[in-house]
Amino acid sequence: MEVEAVESNTLPGGAHRRTSKRDRRVFWACVFILANNCFQFTAYFAVSTNLVNYLKDRLHEGSKAAANGVTNWLGTSFITPLIAAFLADAFLGRYWTIALFLLISVVAYVVLAVSAAAALESAAFYTGLYLLALGGALQPVLTSFGADQFDESDEAERGRQSSFFNWFYLSINVGSLIGGTVLVWVQSSVSWSLGYGIPALLSVVTVAVFLAGTTTYRRHQPPGGSPITRVAQVVVA
């Protein structure tokens, strides 16, 4: 009888388990996804938390106009995930959809950083802002992509999947805390250009982290069709 060589490793959740090659792959895939998620939320909340103040201080908008601009942008941000989900389910698959929207986010943050540094007119800033609303649409897809890394037919992996999502939401909270406190302080106390430049840098790091984990991901799930398509067919019929 052959005995497969295994080694001990520590998985998210702190439990020591015997891990095979597949287990190590899952572990590192989770590490890359969690780091990616944390950096994304750090950058996003650095922009969104202090956005009203930016519109008032740098673009000289009134309080009512600034609040209305932020509300419209947030509403758009809540709708755009439907676009990412449709592309992932019907055409590109989750891996390529995430990669595409991460690149859109990089462009968005760069436009915002340049606009803040050069004090450009509101049209340039709003262009970057709505690109960010589109680029940030990948979050539901990233959540599903994280679930894809586990074999749900395996009882042990189902337990690890539950542990992964605990860490996933912790990464959201850590990123939100850093972006909404430290980077907001940089914007208010140091400079807007630096406060927006750091999120731009983080967006580039996010792409690098995601691509670095490519060999560890389980990413060959073919697009299975989008529920949005079927709903649209029913409405048309």
Side-chain angles (χ1 to χ4, degrees):
M1 178 184 299
E2 294 184 0
V3 179
E4 182 181 4
V6 294
E7 64 181 20
S8 177
N9 203 345
T10 302
L11 299 177
H16 290 276
R17 298 178 183 172
R18 297 194 316 159
T19 57
S20 64
K21 182 177 179 181
R22 183 181 69 176
D23 296 325
R24 290 194 298 273
R25 180 201 61 76
V26 173
F27 174 83
W28 284 109
C30 291
V31 168
F32 286 117
I33 292 172
L34 292 174
N36 179 286
N37 197 49
C38 185
F39 289 141
Q40 282 187 59
F41 273 89
T42 301
Y44 182 83
F45 273 83
V47 172
S48 63
T49 303
N50 213 20
L51 186 55
V52 169
N53 288 332
Y54 182 90
L55 297 179
K56 291 169 61 179
D57 295 346
R58 296 301 295 269
L59 299 184
H60 308 294
E61 296 185 3
S63 297
K64 182 179 179 179
N68 186 57
V70 173
T71 300
N72 292 338
W73 175 69
L74 289 175
T76 304
S77 299
F78 292 143
I79 294 174
T80 52
L82 293 174
I83 300 173
F86 175 74
L87 290 175
D89 292 339
F91 296 103
L92 299 178
R94 293 184 179 119
Y95 174 85
W96 289 110
T97 300
I98 293 170
L100 172 63
F101 280 78
L102 284 176
L103 291 175
I104 294 174
S105 293
V106 171
V107 175
Y109 283 114
V110 169
V111 171
L112 291 176
V114 171
S115 177
L120 299 179
E121 295 182 357
S122 59
F125 184 82
Y126 275 105
T127 298
L129 200 60
Y130 278 89
L131 279 174
L132 179 57
L134 178 61
L138 60 84
Q139 280 305 318
V141 181
L142 186 65
T143 305
S144 300
F145 187 67
D148 288 342
Q149 306 310 309
F150 301 90
D151 183 0
E152 295 188 359
S153 64
D154 187 301
E155 183 177 354
E157 289 207 15
R158 286 201 303 271
R160 293 165 64 191
Q161 185 184 68
S162 177
S163 178
F164 164 78
F165 280 110
N166 290 335
W167 285 87
F168 187 84
Y169 287 107
L170 176 62
S171 70
I172 292 176
N173 291 326
V174 170
S176 304
L177 177 63
I178 296 174
T181 55
V182 177
L183 295 186
V184 166
W185 177 85
V186 172
Q187 294 167 2
S188 301
S189 302
V190 182
S191 71
W192 286 106
S193 58
L194 181 60
Y196 277 76
I198 294 174
L201 178 61
L202 286 175
S203 69
V204 175
V205 172
T206 298
V207 174
V209 169
F210 181 74
L211 295 179
T214 296
T215 58
T216 67
Y217 300 141
R218 179 182 292 163
R219 58 188 182 92
H220 299 295
Q221 298 85 351
S226 173
I228 297 176
T229 303
R230 294 190 287 274
V231 170
Q233 289 172 340
V234 171
V235 172
V236 172

